[in-house]
Amino acid sequence: MADTVIAPAADLPIGPMGHRALGWWGMLCVIATEGAVFVYLLFSYAYLALQPHAAWLPEGPPSLTLALPNTAVLVASSFIVAWGERRIRAGATRHAWLALLGTIGLGIVFVAVQLTEWHDKTFGIATSSYGSLYFTITGFHMAHVAAGLLMLAALALWTRLGLFDSRRNAPIAIGAIYWHFVDVVWLAVFFTFYLSPRLV
Amino acid sequence: MTRQADIAISAHPAPHRERASAVALAYALGGAPGAWLLHLLVNYGMADRACASHAALSAWSAVVLVDVVAITIATGAAAVSYELFRRTRTEKEGGVQVLVEAGEGRTRFLAVCGLLASGLFLIAIAFDLAGPFMGLSCA
Amino acid sequence: MAVPADSRLAVLTEADEGRLATRLERLWATAPGIVGWLSTVDHKEIGKRYIVTAMLFLIAGGIEALVMRVQLAGPDQHLLTPEQYNMLFTMHGASLIFWYASPVLSGFSNYLWPLLLGSRDMAFPRLNALSYWIYLFSGLMLYAGFAVGIAPNTGWFDYVPAASRAFSPGPGIDLYAMALILLGISTTVGAINFIVTFLRTRAPGMSLNRVPILIWSTLTASAGNLLAVPAVSLAFFLLWLDRRFGTHFYDVPAGGHPLLWQHLFWMFGHPWVYAIVLPAMGMVSDALPVFCSRPLVGYTIVALATVLTMVLGFGVWVHHMFATGLPMLGMSFFSAASFVIVIPSAVAVFAWIATIAIGRPRLTVPFLYFASFIVMFVIGGVSGFMTASVPVDWQLTDTYFIVAHIHYVLIGINVFPVLGGLTFWFPKMTGRLLDERLGRYAFWLIFAGFNIAFLPMHLTGLYGMPRRIYTYGPHFGWETLNLVSTVGAFILAIGIGVFFVNILRSLRRGMPAGSNPWNAPTLEWSVSSPPPPYNFVVIPTVASRHPLWEQELDETEHRSVIRTGPALDEGRETLATTPVDADPDLVLKMPEDSLAPLLLALALTAIFVGLLASAWWSAATAAAAGLLIVFAWLWPRRSLAQVAEVSHG
């Protein structure tokens, strides 16, 4: 009978390291549960949309004039933050900082355009079930963008203070994956509200 | 930065881990449950729609079609599970009986789990065929 | 051999072990005094708090039940007004289903997980404290309302339109909504913690096939909660919007639909049923074999069945809605799935029965609870199986048959394993054994009382008595059955009382337990009772599913190593391993005790109280405070190795 041998082996890193950090795994779980929130929200949209209605869309399919470029803005911000994440792993702290600021900038543009869209609607949250869904779901998404912006702002500050380098940068990876998630959710929301009425 | 870890395991829990790729294992374990969940939601949605527009016959054939697709995916998962199990069955001493009792050999453990899960969900999918064939309609 | 300060590998002699233990004790112990008490992140402390708090909600919900049973003891009673009765059955259901059944299991799992996994704490110790405080405050919020006469009155599943503003204008429903969303945050935070703990902090060698069933089942419940809780939180949030801001999610004239509530609620509700029974079943799967002196029969199949039950549980929600006029074809799919779900449950039942049959049972108090649990699981399972059939469900729905079914499920499959588990692990938690004689009295009172109360309810339901009526006339022929149920309920309550008396007595006067009083096989029994704050002097390495039974079983040629291993004693440290095979991966720096979780929980509670009171500025202020706390909490710290090193060593 042999004991399970414990012998000196490779060096183990100490503390959080990139995707091996526990926080990274925690964020994946957060994304799963927040993703579920949006699945249930979009299910609610589909469920109510499929009920017989006199007039489901108060203004016809929502206009793409602002929404389409705004979608491009958000997608672009994801690429920038991904670039920043690559740069910090290469030790380029300043580039990472600039990338985070750029992402924040585009995120703010997205929110501003969304608020303009809200402002221009001729219906409100209490007008009909469609209005309730539209403002609640885009509002939920905007709240997630706002949370992402706060996260990015903290990361930008910490990067500027030199707290991160090529080895210690797990928080940036964690913030970036959340931002990608917010982006992907927007694509689902965009498809549901802006594209799906054009398909049927 | 790093310190000596000083841990290595002489008796690794999964000596055959190289014989089963992560993708194959994921399909073996998740294929059948995934196919079942998707088919359930699609079937329910379609039956609901078809019944709302009084097109019971199209609902009937759509349900059967979706079931056949789901059964194909689940059967594939069962086949992959079996292949993985065949490759890893000697991972630790003892046959299937020992594996089921003690669970030793992580790779073959997951392969057997995939096989059993695929079986259960094949039953679950096939069960749905009962509805259309018993002549259930929208009433 | 001395233990050098920076040694990763500690080969321990007795003297070394003492020195290392002293060092770890200093690192991990919670500071004395009130601040220490409020800031501790020790999973064992948090686990015990969960259990105690959940037991208080069990008592509260039980008292509410007794009052209702007095009302129903005979026909035409008027102890309670209809309004009071509505509040009572709602508070009873909410307290027990939401604030007792799941948190009590979280308590066991919090206490046991790191001990079972060979680790020093949960993956996120501070989140662990946060989830407890939020849980506590959400419950206090609900009961604070109840104390001043504000309570929900539409049943625990709170159907619209009864719960809409038109039919329930008072603040009770809003209170329920806010408290439940707050509780949902706690559940979600806890679920994330369990999942990451499972994936990353198992002892080296504890590959997926060597994980105790309790771990599998709590993991399954956590994954289920992660995906299911958003549905109910959302349903309540939309309801609150409907009530407060005039949105139209649930009202038909403006394009909403009340069945949207039922869909969202039961998409959550059915997985939740499994979340509150699977960990209890897991406790039985791990503890019952101890009293049969042999391993669980069919470990692999039971572990798999646990997970698959939850997967199936996500596809049966419509069986709660068979009587709502949905198309027959659509319902048939959910009926089919509800039948199939019997298969994994039956697998577990046969595994337990076979374990008893093949083993040499010792008829201790925990064994009595676990064995009777099997019987009640079968009764509750069969009555559930009956209602999986659509036409049978049409006959039985909303009658006392369903009340009997849900109580066989929740008391039979949750309370009995919990009481058995408490008897089983009490010595580990306190270092003292419960009194066996008193324990037997309590068990037989509880067993008899429960069955006298609830077995006749099947018949009451078949005779047509609807659930949730506040009284009934004398001419229906229900009075004898109801009187029997009331008598049974009081016997059950006395039994629970005796159980608690036993606990309080044994805390002081129980026999010293020693580290392994039951001769159990898993890692928690390898450490002293109660365990030290750091759990393990060295991180153990595991070579099988039952490290302490390897000598007797002689299944494999390798042996687990518990006294030798990495010391990890430079600050609070534990080991991270890989998700599938538990190969060593990282040294984790664990956070110290902190008041941040308590403060954040207070801020969150203030937000929800603010929303409830329409005090928007207070809510916003609390939110800002909460954000600042999070910002400070997450600030990268050198002591946790989160910060770039200035110079390299």
Side-chain angles (χ1 to χ4, degrees), chain B residues 3-4 12 99 103-104 106, chain C residues 8 209-210 300 570 581:
Chain B
R3 283 175 279 176
Q4 276 298 102
H12 196 279
L99 170 57
E104 275 304 297
R106 190 272 300 164
Chain C
R8 300 280 102 193
N209 53 315
R210 290 174 179 165
T300 303
E570 293 177 29
D581 284 331

Side-chain angles (χ1 to χ4, degrees), chain B residues 42-52 59 63 138, chain C residues 327 329-330 333:
Chain B
V42 172
N43 265 354
Y44 179 54
M46 284 195 321
D48 228 27
R49 286 306 286 159
C51 287
V63 166
C138 298
Chain C
L329 185 58
F333 305 135

Side-chain angles (χ1 to χ4, degrees), chain C residues 226-237:
Chain C
L226 198 67
L227 300 177
V229 167
V232 76
S233 298
L234 183 66
F236 272 95
F237 183 73

Side-chain angles (χ1 to χ4, degrees), chain A residues 111-148:
Chain A
V111 172
V113 174
Q114 271 291 105
L115 289 175
T116 317
E117 286 228 32
W118 274 19
H119 181 78
D120 293 345
K121 294 289 176 199
T122 55
F123 55 89
I125 194 169
T127 312
S128 68
S129 62
Y130 179 86
S132 307
L133 285 162
Y134 174 79
F135 284 103
T136 304
I137 295 178
T138 54
F140 256 78
H141 180 261
M142 224 191 293
H144 282 73
V145 174

Side-chain angles (χ1 to χ4, degrees), chain C residues 145-364:
Chain C
F146 190 40
V148 296
I150 299 170
N153 55 3
T154 45
W156 68 277
F157 42 76
D158 204 37
Y159 277 179
V160 289
S164 64
R165 189 168 55 183
F167 300 102
S168 297
I173 305 290
D174 299 308
L175 172 67
Y176 190 31
M178 288 297 122
L180 208 59
I181 294 172
L182 191 56
L183 178 67
I185 297 173
S186 158
T187 312
T188 303
V189 167
I192 292 172
N193 208 350
F194 282 125
I195 291 171
V196 179
T197 302
F198 171 84
L199 291 173
R200 299 306 311 277
T201 66
R202 308 199 304 271
M206 194 182 282
S207 52
L208 290 181
N209 53 315
R210 290 174 179 165
V211 174
I213 302 280
L214 175 60
I215 303 281
W216 276 118
S217 56
T218 311
L219 172 78
T220 303
S222 301
N225 280 340
L226 198 67
L227 300 177
V229 167
V232 76
S233 298
L234 183 66
F236 272 95
F237 183 73
L238 300 183
L239 175 65
W240 180 72
L241 288 180
D242 266 14
R243 292 172 55 86
R244 281 299 176 88
F245 298 97
T247 57
H248 303 287
F249 292 103
Y250 302 126
D251 73 316
V252 174
H257 206 301
L259 282 189
L260 176 62
W261 171 272
Q262 294 198 22
H263 276 296
L264 288 174
F265 191 90
W266 293 117
M267 280 175 177
F268 151 81
H270 209 85
W272 179 257
V273 172
Y274 294 113
I276 60 184
V277 299
L278 285 175
M281 290 160 67
M283 280 158 53
V284 175
S285 293
D286 280 349
L288 177 69
V290 172
F291 299 99
C292 302
S293 304
R294 58 150 293 133
L296 177 70
V297 169
Y299 163 80
T300 303
I301 300 181
V302 175
L304 180 68
T306 305
V307 177
L308 296 187
T309 303
M310 181 57 91
V311 177
L312 283 165
F314 271 90
V316 298
W317 81 88
V318 171
H319 77 209
H320 296 269
M321 303 164 63
F322 280 164
T324 54
L326 296 171
M328 203 59 200
L329 185 58
M331 288 197 292
S332 76
F333 305 135
F334 291 90
S335 178
S338 308
F339 283 122
V340 172
I341 211 164
V342 172
I343 297 173
S345 308
V347 162
V349 168
F350 286 120
W352 297 318
I353 293 175
T355 308
I356 298 176
I358 303 175
R360 283 167 285 124
R362 282 184 281 159
L363 300 185
T364 55

Side-chain angles (χ1 to χ4, degrees), chain C residues 24 39 110 199 255 308 384 416 421 435 482 519 550 588:
Chain C
L24 288 168
S39 58
N110 261 318
L199 291 173
L308 296 187
F416 272 72
D435 185 81
N482 270 299
N519 185 26
E550 284 166 5
L588 292 173

